[in-house]
Amino acid sequence: MSNCVAGTRNGLLNDATEASDALILLQNTNMLTAADLNSIFGVPWQISVAGAASGNYAANTNYMQPGTGAVDLRFVCALDRLLDDGIPSSGVMRSSATAGAVTATGTSYDATSDCWQGATQVTMGVRILP
């Protein structure tokens, strides 16, 4: 088994094969265990494909994201505030939410409102490259 990831070697994971191979490489080199590859949501982490900006994801950047797609806004809001700046469209943690006060039915959060008021689903990603 090869310990190389095929691709353009430009510092980005530009297609689904590169992203998948990168996770396998991290496991084969014992940097991650099989358990590390599962998110807290019980599904494997995935690496987004770098390319054009998409939603709140920056262009030419890779993100780790749970394979389920959408997760609870309350968790995403709290995690963004703990790890980053609490703003869904900036920093190392991004989500599909919009900036604004948290409401029970909306998909917004910000750095100052109560994360635990929300009850909807949003996508999330944590920047890994570059």
Side-chain angles (χ1 to χ4, degrees):
M1 179 179 311
S2 172
N3 280 341
C4 294
V5 175
T8 58
R9 301 191 193 306
N10 63 357
L12 297 171
L13 302 172
N14 292 315
D15 62 45
T17 301
E18 281 184 310
S20 176
D21 287 350
L23 287 173
I24 293 168
L25 175 65
L26 291 172
Q27 188 176 5
N28 288 345
T29 56
N30 296 319
M31 294 178 83
L32 295 176
T33 67
D36 293 330
L37 296 178
N38 283 323
S39 72
I40 60 171
F41 306 105
V43 297
W45 285 105
Q46 295 177 343
I47 299 176
S48 69
V49 173
S54 175
N56 287 334
Y57 286 5
N60 297 317
T61 306
N62 294 104
Y63 294 87
M64 289 290 289
Q65 53 194 23
T68 57
V71 294
D72 192 303
L73 176 127
R74 295 171 288 193
F75 174 80
V76 174
C77 173
L79 190 60
D80 194 353
R81 288 171 71 181
L82 180 68
L83 296 176
D84 199 21
D85 58 4
I87 301 169
S89 59
S90 69
V92 296
M93 183 169 169
R94 308 270 179 118
S95 75
S96 61
T98 55
V102 176
T103 64
T105 58
T107 57
S108 300
Y109 67 83
D110 60 29
T112 60
S113 59
D114 180 6
C115 293
W116 304 109
Q117 293 178 5
T120 56
Q121 302 279 304
V122 294
T123 62
M124 65 165 273
V126 179
R127 187 177 71 212
I128 55 171
L129 293 172

